[in-house]
Structure formats: C-alpha cells, structure tokens
Amino acid sequence: MSRAAVRPAPHAPLPGETIADAVARFVRTEIFEGRLVGGQRLPQDDIAESVGVSRIPVREAIIALEREGWVRVERHRGAFINALDEQAVLDRFALYGRFYGFAARRALERMSGEQRETLRRLALDLARPSGAKPFERANGAYMSTLVHFAGSARLRGVLRSTAQIVPGNFFVTVPKSIAIQRAGISALQAALDADDAPAAERICADMEHRHALEVIAVMHARHARAATAQA
Amino acid sequence: MSTHGRTLPRRLKRESSSEQVAEHIRRLIMSGELVKGERLRQEDLAEELGVSRIPVREAIIALDREGWLDFEANRGAHVAGLAADDIGDHYELRGLVFGLLARRVVETATDEDVKVLSALAAEMKRTADLVEFAVTNERMIRQIIRVAASPRLTAALLVTPAIMHHDFYEFVPTGRKNQEAGIAAFLRAVKQRSADAADTAMRTMLRRQGQAVLAAFTASGVVGGQ
C-alpha cells in the first residue's frame, strides 16, 4: 500500500460520482492490481491521503465496498480486505450469471412487443465486429435495456452493488471476453426470441462462468508482473 | 432491546446503530408507510430513533446501495418505491444467492458440519416459541454462511437482506412451515451431496417465503391495494 501514495494518480471523482464513489473505485483498483491483499486491514488513513480526502468519504466508501464483497467490517476492529482469489471471482460471476438470468426471465414475462423489437435491434449491434470500446458501449446498451425491460426495482438495486470486479473497461482488460460476450448475447437473444426462459438462464450462467475463467487468467498475469516489479 | 416483552438472548449479535436505522427504514418502505418518491427526513428520523445524524446518513448510503432509496448529494434521499412485484422479486433474488451458498455447502461440508446443521434443524423443529425459532434459524443461516466460506456470496446477502427478524414468524403465518420444510429439503440434499437439489431447495423455500410475505402484507392492507 505504501506504493499507492507515490503513484501519480488522478483520483478526482468522475462526472456523476461522489467523493466516496471515487474512493471506492480507488480501493477496488488497489485490490485488483494486488497492492491491497486479502486479510489485510484497510489502511483508511493512507487511502484518505492518497485520494486527498478526509476520513468521512472513506468510511462511506467502506459501506458500499462491504456490500460489494470487497471488504468485511468487524465491529471495533475496522475493515479487512476479502481475498480476490479464484473462488471470489467464480462466485462473483456466478452471481452475475444468476442476476442476468433473472433479468431475462422477468423481461420475457413483462416486456411489450415493441420492447422485444428494441432488444433484438440492440443484439444486432453487438454482432458487428468492433474494438473493445465500441463493443463495451453496445454491450452496455443491450444489458441495461434488458435490465430496464425486466421492470424490477429490486434487481436494479442488487446490480448496483454487484460492482464490476475488473476496474475500467472490462473488454480492454479482458480482451478474450469480447468473443464470449458476443456469442453469449447472440445465444441469449435466440432464447428470448424462442420464449425459452430456462435456456436464457443457462446461457447467462454459462457465459459469466467463461468470463470468470478469463478474469482469473488476467489476474494471474498481473500479479506475476506486480511481484516482479516489487522484487 | 426487547421484543415482545422479552429480552433477546445474549448470543444474538448486537447490531450497530446504523444497521438498526437501516432495518427500521426498510420496514417503513415494506409496510407502505414510506411511499415511492417520498423524501426521507434525516433530522426527523434521527430524533425519532434517538440517534445522531451519522448513523442515519450511513444507513441511507447502505440503503442506496441496496436499491431501497435513491440518494443524490444535492437532492437528498428518496424512496425508490415498492410494489407487490418488488416483494416477490426480493425473495426470488435472495433465493438465487442462497442457492449458490447451498451449492458451496454441498461442496465443502464435512461430516462434522452436517452434524451441526442437523442439530440446529432439530432444535428449530422442537421449539414452540416463534421468536426462539427465528433466533435458531438465524444461527442456522450463520452456520450455512460459515460452511460455504464465500465472502462474495455473503456480501450479496447484505444486499438481499431478510426484511424482518424476530417477529417474522408471527407476522407471516405460514412462514415457519415453509422454513422448516425448506431447511429439511436442503439438509437431505447436503447429505446426498447433491448441489442441484440443495440449490433448488433454497430457491423454492425463498420463493414460498416471498409469496407468504406478500400475502401477509396484502392481508394487513398495505401492498397491492389497487
């Protein structure tokens, strides 16, 4: 963590972010990059200093990070980092798989004919070849529309806390996931067109599991690099 | 803290004041006393509950993450709304998380773990007291969480929390029967080492609890009135 203090990092809040959001984003990156490790107590003062804020937004960030599974809070002892190991990644993506499967099922129950058409169009945008950034935009449009058409306030709430495990643009960091997502959404859209909710749930679970395996591979590579850099 | 005129057992973990405030607000939303779009008055809540502004603010941040409130720096906190569908969805989502926890239990439980879980299930069956049943059920859930040993799945339960605690089984008449049947099916699956069956048992149990909670709220006239 001492290294974090000397990194030239612009930790200012992005548009729409609160200071606490920016702190949470900083902590997620530190964990993903292996600079904060499982079991370690969250160094709240160092983090406040690195980001250039007071302790209050750090405390607020911890509330969000606890719900996202990055830290656990032990009363009177502080916050401790949860290990970002293979099991953690598998569990995280298993949750995603289930929540998106739930979105697909509810969308099938609740969306109008016009909405079905909108989703089909967005799926076609994803099928076109493109780089990581346009792909992320098209994918974001499809997924958020699917969640919107599911019409579930509770699902939106749960997804709010199922924050991404990979900081930044997922498809830049995990390039092999583009092919997985493209094939997965194509299969998902086919299941939706066929009104087949169980198939849609299986496809979502399977797609997210494949992402998990790619993320694990990327993490291993990064941690090996971080270990070399520190040696 | 006392419930129904009796003091809760000491082994029950005392919640922090922000957790208590959060539970209070969740319940006001669930019961329809706070309605969609309504602005939460932090000062009033703090005064009503006899706490400072800090735990109220922390509770609001937690409830924003859980999706019960929309909290924006300049607009304050507003209730995100609650409809009959939300109750069903909430329990369905909690079931999805519990289903994954159940899978991990099947993968990792030792014979000793199975014994402990079985003893707790027997204790749940034995008690005549609904509050004691709820407390034993909480111990059962903590045991499941311990055996599953997944911080990520445990965190997901924070976002799909139990809506009521010690008075759940008094408020929801078929709640106890659902819970006992669900836990029994789960334990059978664990003993047979069937992850699929354990998963299904939990999802079914939580879906039924969602239907029972909705029926109880509908009977008390606060949800689905139109």
Side-chain angles (χ1 to χ4, degrees):
Chain A
M1 185 61 208
S2 56
R3 225 140 291 251
V6 296
R7 275 169 72 231
H11 304 304
L14 300 171
E17 266 190 349
T18 64
I19 298 171
D21 291 336
V23 174
R25 184 161 50 79
F26 173 77
V27 173
R28 283 188 212 108
T29 306
E30 293 296 303
I31 298 173
F32 185 76
E33 301 289 352
R35 287 186 289 265
L36 286 172
V37 296
Q40 188 183 344
R41 183 204 291 268
L42 194 72
Q44 300 189 31
D45 290 327
D46 292 355
I47 289 168
E49 197 183 322
S50 295
V51 187
V53 297
S54 77
R55 282 285 296 271
I56 292 169
V58 177
R59 269 189 67 129
E60 292 176 359
I62 289 171
I63 296 170
L65 291 166
E66 185 189 19
R67 277 158 179 73
E68 296 167 7
W70 294 97
V71 304
R72 66 180 176 282
V73 176
E74 294 182 17
R75 291 194 68 202
H76 309 303
R77 294 194 59 222
F80 293 82
I81 313 290
N82 284 327
L84 184 55
D85 52 15
E86 293 190 9
Q87 192 61 55
V89 176
L90 289 168
D91 286 344
R92 196 70 180 146
F93 282 89
L95 285 168
Y96 268 131
R98 289 199 162 196
F99 294 152
Y100 284 121
F102 175 86
R105 175 179 289 278
R106 284 291 189 258
L108 274 181
E109 290 166 4
R110 294 172 182 170
M111 69 182 161
S112 67
E114 204 177 305
Q115 290 176 325
R116 279 173 179 263
E117 204 41 58
T118 303
L119 208 55
R120 207 170 291 140
R121 239 185 6 255
L122 290 169
L124 287 179
D125 291 345
L126 263 182
R128 297 195 189 97
S130 65
K133 280 184 183 161
F135 185 81
E136 199 218 13
R137 266 198 302 279
N139 182 61
Y142 182 89
M143 297 311 262
S144 61
T145 304
L146 178 70
V147 169
H148 178 65
F149 290 168
S152 171
R154 293 304 311 138
L155 174 67
R156 287 195 295 276
V158 166
L159 285 175
R160 203 181 280 184
S161 277
T162 314
Q164 61 217 45
I165 217 161
V166 178
N169 184 324
F170 179 78
F171 297 108
V172 169
T173 313
V174 193
K176 285 187 182 161
S177 276
I178 293 181
I180 295 170
Q181 188 76 9
R182 183 175 279 137
I185 297 302
S186 163
L188 173 62
Q189 187 56 44
L192 292 174
D193 287 338
D195 252 321
D196 190 344
E201 287 174 335
R202 269 197 311 277
I203 290 162
C204 289
D206 182 54
M207 176 172 76
E208 298 300 340
H209 182 70
R210 283 164 198 252
H211 286 317
L213 299 180
E214 290 303 331
V215 169
I216 288 168
V218 168
M219 267 171 34
H220 280 321
R222 294 216 164 188
H223 291 183
R225 228 176 302 149
T228 316
Q230 290 203 335
Chain B
M1 177 178 169
S2 87
T3 305
H4 312 297
R6 92 198 70 194
T7 306
L8 291 172
R10 268 188 57 222
R11 61 170 173 265
L12 200 73
K13 189 183 93 188
R14 276 199 58 198
E15 294 172 329
S16 73
S17 51
S18 68
E19 281 164 16
Q20 285 177 16
V21 175
E23 189 176 333
H24 178 76
I25 297 171
R26 256 187 232 115
R27 192 147 181 172
L28 290 176
I29 297 172
M30 271 290 179
S31 67
E33 283 165 72
L34 282 172
V35 297
K36 185 179 165 85
E38 195 167 334
R39 188 167 199 269
L40 224 66
R41 309 180 70 84
Q42 299 190 36
E43 303 83 2
D44 294 357
L45 264 172
E47 196 180 330
E48 198 181 312
L49 298 171
V51 296
S52 77
R53 287 282 298 274
I54 292 168
V56 174
R57 193 179 151 80
E58 289 179 355
I60 285 172
I61 292 165
L63 293 168
D64 172 74
R65 300 307 298 180
E66 294 170 17
W68 302 95
L69 301 174
D70 291 319
F71 181 48
E72 286 168 49
N74 303 320
R75 291 189 60 239
H78 294 261
V79 177
L82 181 93
D85 282 346
D86 292 329
I87 293 180
D89 284 0
H90 181 78
Y91 279 90
E92 193 92 13
L93 290 163
R94 189 165 159 82
L96 292 180
V97 180
F98 260 110
L100 285 176
L101 279 165
R103 287 188 169 272
R104 298 284 176 263
V105 169
V106 169
E107 287 164 14
T108 58
T110 62
D111 292 345
E112 185 53 38
D113 292 331
V114 175
K115 255 185 238 162
V116 173
L117 291 169
S118 304
L120 280 170
E123 210 176 308
M124 284 167 71
K125 245 183 159 54
R126 257 197 319 272
T127 181
D129 181 284
L130 287 177
V131 172
E132 201 180 310
F133 180 83
V135 170
T136 314
N137 182 58
E138 275 192 22
R139 286 167 58 208
M140 168 69 91
I141 290 171
R142 277 206 292 277
Q143 213 36 247
I144 289 170
I145 287 170
R146 186 189 64 76
V147 175
S150 166
R152 300 281 155 163
L153 298 180
T154 306
L157 283 184
L158 284 178
V159 191
T160 54
I163 283 156
M164 279 167 268
H165 288 111
H166 303 102
D167 52 354
F168 180 89
Y169 299 99
E170 286 174 350
F171 183 73
V172 182
T174 54
R176 176 174 180 166
K177 200 178 71 158
N178 288 339
Q179 196 74 13
E180 269 185 34
I183 294 291
F186 162 71
L187 273 178
R188 272 196 305 279
V190 172
K191 285 174 189 160
Q192 291 163 1
R193 299 280 163 190
S194 167
D196 287 343
D199 188 351
T200 305
M202 283 301 193
R203 292 167 71 160
T204 307
M205 177 177 89
L206 270 303
R207 184 176 304 128
R208 287 191 182 141
Q209 292 297 36
Q211 289 158 353
V213 169
L214 180 57
F217 273 121
T218 308
S220 69
V222 290
V223 174
Q226 42 193 340

